[in-house]
Amino acid sequence: MTEDEFDLFYTAAYPRLVGQLYALTGDYAEAQDVVQEAFVRAWDRRSSVLAGDQAPEAWIRTVAHRLAMSRWRRARRWWELVRGESAPLPVPEPSPDHVVLVAALRCLPEVQRNAIVLHHLCDLSVEQIAAETGVAVGTVKARLSRGRSSLAAHLVSEEPHPTEEACV
């Protein structure tokens, strides 16, 4: 597309596109800005986008629409930050039982810990765990049995909670 052809295209399509984006955004100045930006991007790509059987007006409308939505998201995010709506909610501290359980789970070998977590916390069946981990059903059962025994030993100990040294 030559410069003259682009100028003719711009003159014909710009008012239509601004009207469409104005209907979308509700802000005439914003609609003009995003359509103008879309035309600038089209100018940079005029040899590929605006040539041949492409629908250049549809391409520019899509780019302008995406620009408008991106600006709207940025403005909304800024507004949330200013108003303090996106401050992270306080997370309650873990209970002492949770801390002890996690510490005891860390003492288990990885394959046993994985089997325990998948079975007891994720509610997967032994067959599902076997399929997910790629081992035999009997292997999963053995890992669960050994894992439970080891876990019980760590949870029953006199120590307030297991440490890395207690895991040995």
Side-chain angles (χ1 to χ4, degrees), residues 117-162:
V117 168
L118 290 174
H119 187 68
H120 293 287
L121 299 178
C122 299
D123 291 326
L124 295 182
S125 68
V126 171
E127 292 78 17
Q128 289 172 318
I129 296 169
E132 187 170 313
T133 57
V135 297
V137 171
T139 304
V140 173
K141 289 179 181 178
R143 289 175 180 174
L144 284 170
S145 176
R146 290 180 188 128
R148 286 185 200 119
S149 297
S150 296
L151 192 60
H154 287 294
L155 292 175
V156 176
S157 71
E158 301 278 327
E159 228 174 281
H161 57 77

Side-chain angles (χ1 to χ4, degrees), residues 54-102:
Q54 300 280 341
E57 191 168 333
W59 187 89
I60 292 171
R61 182 177 25 261
T62 301
V63 170
H65 180 265
R66 288 178 181 163
L67 286 168
M69 295 308 293
S70 179
R71 288 181 178 193
W72 177 79
R73 284 187 196 107
R74 251 185 270 125
R76 185 183 68 185
R77 178 74 178 134
W78 178 83
W79 184 247
E80 288 172 354
L81 289 172
V82 167
R83 292 178 59 197
E85 292 178 358
S86 64
L89 298 174
V91 177
E93 291 184 17
S95 69
D97 292 340
H98 180 83
V99 172
V100 170
L101 178 61
V102 169

